[in-house]
Amino acid sequence: MVQYCDRLLRTDEIGDYGGAANGLQMENRGAVSRIAATVDASLVTVKLAIDAKADLLIVHHGLFWSPTHPWTEKKYELLRLLIENNLAVYSSHLPLDAHPKLGNNAQLCAALGLKHPQPFFPSHGRPIGFKARQKISRTELATRLQRALGSKPLLIPGGQEICEIIGVVTGGAGDGVKQAAAEGVDTFITGEGQHWTYALAEELGINVFHGGHYATETFGVKALAADLSRKFKVPWTFLDHPTGL
């Protein structure tokens, strides 16, 4: 499974932030009988995975974003639970964002009904998002986004009511408004952004939708777990642990 995921996601080829540590982050005793998928690897989601009887946990945000030693207190509890419950952890950040079929961005484009998306928004050496030429009202796009995410997005109405070139980069890409505008989009969909980007979007004449960092990044882990389930004939489940952020 790990070898399949690494090939599928091109884990060794796609750059990422230093702490991402994409790939198998925690091994188990070798066999997988049930897969769980969730956005964030944390003490809470590990406990949810154990309750679900999973022995492989697929995550987008892994265990090692910053130095994690020493393994004491809650960190020790996390490590102990993983080992005692034979739970492996596989994490994929930008490789999963960028995947043209299973990735967060491709999946969200599909959920929004955006046709023929093209690579967009380089990060760490290659595009991780997608953009599409499609005329749709800002109001209709907001409705579709709310339907896809299950929550109402925040809108910065800096551009025209009719959207024509829509860019999608899930997660925390809100500070990339200028980059998105430079690549020709008039509407930018992401997860979250900083306060100062509101005025910048108005100055650039671009619409920005913030759908929530968590909400926009549930798609990839679900798609990857479902793909693994089909290929390896093991059941999977999604562990929903929303942050509201």
Side-chain angles (χ1 to χ4, degrees):
M1 281 188 176
V2 170
Q3 291 173 351
Y4 174 78
C5 287
D6 286 345
R7 288 194 303 268
L8 178 69
L9 300 171
R10 300 165 66 194
T11 299
D12 292 337
E13 301 174 37
I14 297 179
D16 209 326
Y17 298 92
N22 293 308
L24 184 65
Q25 295 190 336
M26 180 71 183
E27 63 180 275
N28 67 2
R29 288 190 287 273
V32 173
S33 60
R34 179 176 293 274
I35 300 168
T38 196
V39 175
D40 305 295
S42 69
L43 184 58
V44 170
T45 57
V46 164
K47 289 179 178 178
L48 291 174
I50 293 167
D51 289 343
K53 309 298 183 185
D55 33 35
L56 174 61
L57 180 61
I58 302 290
V59 300
H60 186 52
H61 302 133
L63 296 165
F64 306 118
W65 288 102
S66 57
T68 54
H69 55 278
W71 287 85
T72 59
E73 300 178 345
K74 292 299 180 181
K75 290 295 183 183
Y76 166 75
E77 183 181 354
L78 176 60
L79 181 62
R80 178 180 60 79
L81 286 172
L82 290 171
I83 294 173
E84 289 181 353
N85 292 277
N86 190 39
L87 180 59
V89 178
Y90 186 94
S91 178
S92 187
H93 187 234
L94 293 189
L96 186 55
D97 282 330
H99 194 273
K101 180 180 178 182
L102 303 180
N104 286 310
N105 297 305
Q107 289 280 314
L108 183 51
C109 283
L112 295 173
L114 301 180
K115 307 297 184 183
H116 310 297
Q118 300 298 312
F120 158 73
F121 206 85
S123 176
H124 295 79
R126 66 180 64 234
I128 60 169
F130 292 92
K131 65 179 179 180
R133 291 183 175 272
Q134 192 163 327
K135 283 192 176 183
I136 179 173
S137 74
R138 194 169 60 196
T139 302
E140 172 61 20
L141 186 57
T143 299
R144 292 187 190 184
L145 189 56
Q146 181 169 349
R147 187 183 306 126
L149 300 177
S151 57
K152 185 176 181 179
L154 183 150
L155 168 64
I156 304 175
Q160 299 298 315
E161 167 61 22
I162 300 300
C163 310
E164 297 188 24
I165 306 178
I166 302 163
V168 177
V169 181
T170 60
D175 60 354
V177 173
K178 188 173 183 179
Q179 179 180 341
E183 292 189 57
V185 306
D186 55 53
T187 302
F188 184 43
I189 298 171
T190 187
E192 61 175 327
Q194 296 83 350
H195 173 78
W196 55 267
T197 60
Y198 195 105
L200 179 60
E202 291 178 321
E203 292 169 6
L204 293 169
I206 182 173
N207 299 309
V208 179
F209 285 96
H210 291 160
H213 196 136
Y214 176 89
T216 60
E217 296 200 319
T218 61
F219 297 91
V221 290
K222 289 179 181 179
L224 179 58
D227 184 74
L228 287 172
S229 177
R230 286 190 295 269
K231 182 171 180 61
F232 294 97
K233 305 298 188 292
V234 293
W236 77 280
T237 188
F238 178 66
L239 308 175
D240 196 17
H241 187 56
T243 64
L245 302 172

